[in-house]
Amino acid sequence: MTEPQTWTVIGAVIALMFGMLTIVSTLFIRVLRAEISGVRGEIGGLRGELRGEIGGLRREMIGRFDAVDEKFVAVDARFDAVNSRFDAVNMRFDSVNTKIEGLDRDVRALVKRTFGLDRGE
């Protein structure tokens, strides 16, 4: 082990090992960076595709909600029409009630005058 050639061979082997380690690690890092860039590109593509799908879903849901809103507006209009009809019927009942009260008063007056009876009122 005291020979200079042995130390030279040991130094050369160690230098080769460090050189190989450097080359392998450099190539590994390059491959790793390239793969990470590829994964980032795929993630970016998926992100864009997902945003497009969500945007399409949002537009579809807005369209459906607008259609439902229009139907509710139509139903409200029908309820308003029904309410106006009920108001008209109530007015008719009020007029009939007024006429019946007048007739009742007239009949009581006639009965009182004809029979001379007071019906307790």
Side-chain angles (χ1 to χ4, degrees), residues 63-83:
R64 289 186 181 197
F65 283 134
D66 289 342
V68 169
D69 287 342
E70 289 174 7
K71 288 180 181 179
F72 275 127
V73 167
V75 168
D76 284 342
R78 286 184 180 178
F79 275 127
D80 290 341
V82 168
N83 282 337

Side-chain angles (χ1 to χ4, degrees), residues 78-91:
R78 286 184 180 178
F79 275 127
D80 290 341
V82 168
N83 282 337
S84 65
R85 287 182 181 176
F86 276 126
D87 290 341
V89 169
N90 281 337
M91 288 173 42

Side-chain angles (χ1 to χ4, degrees), residues 107-121:
V107 168
R108 275 188 272 139
L110 285 173
V111 167
K112 185 176 180 182
R113 185 173 180 187
T114 304
F115 297 112
L117 299 173
D118 190 9
R119 298 181 71 187
E121 295 175 0

Side-chain angles (χ1 to χ4, degrees), residues 1-116:
M1 282 300 266
T2 57
E3 304 256 343
Q5 291 175 344
T6 305
W7 287 107
T8 304
V9 170
I10 291 173
V13 169
I14 290 175
L16 284 173
M17 288 179 70
F18 276 119
M20 287 294 289
L21 183 65
T22 303
I23 290 173
V24 168
S25 65
T26 303
L27 290 176
F28 179 74
I29 289 173
R30 284 185 184 177
V31 168
L32 191 61
R33 283 183 181 166
E35 291 297 323
I36 289 174
S37 296
V39 170
R40 283 183 180 165
E42 287 185 30
I43 289 173
L46 287 175
R47 182 180 294 147
E49 184 178 337
L50 186 60
R51 284 182 180 167
E53 290 291 326
I54 289 173
L57 181 62
R58 181 177 290 135
R59 285 188 296 275
E60 182 179 346
M61 293 304 295
I62 288 171
R64 289 186 181 197
F65 283 134
D66 289 342
V68 169
D69 287 342
E70 289 174 7
K71 288 180 181 179
F72 275 127
V73 167
V75 168
D76 284 342
R78 286 184 180 178
F79 275 127
D80 290 341
V82 168
N83 282 337
S84 65
R85 287 182 181 176
F86 276 126
D87 290 341
V89 169
N90 281 337
M91 288 173 42
R92 286 183 181 176
F93 277 134
D94 289 342
S95 69
V96 167
N97 190 25
T98 304
K99 289 179 182 179
I100 289 175
E101 286 176 2
L103 285 175
D104 188 42
R105 185 184 63 243
D106 292 343
V107 168
R108 275 188 272 139
L110 285 173
V111 167
K112 185 176 180 182
R113 185 173 180 187
T114 304
F115 297 112

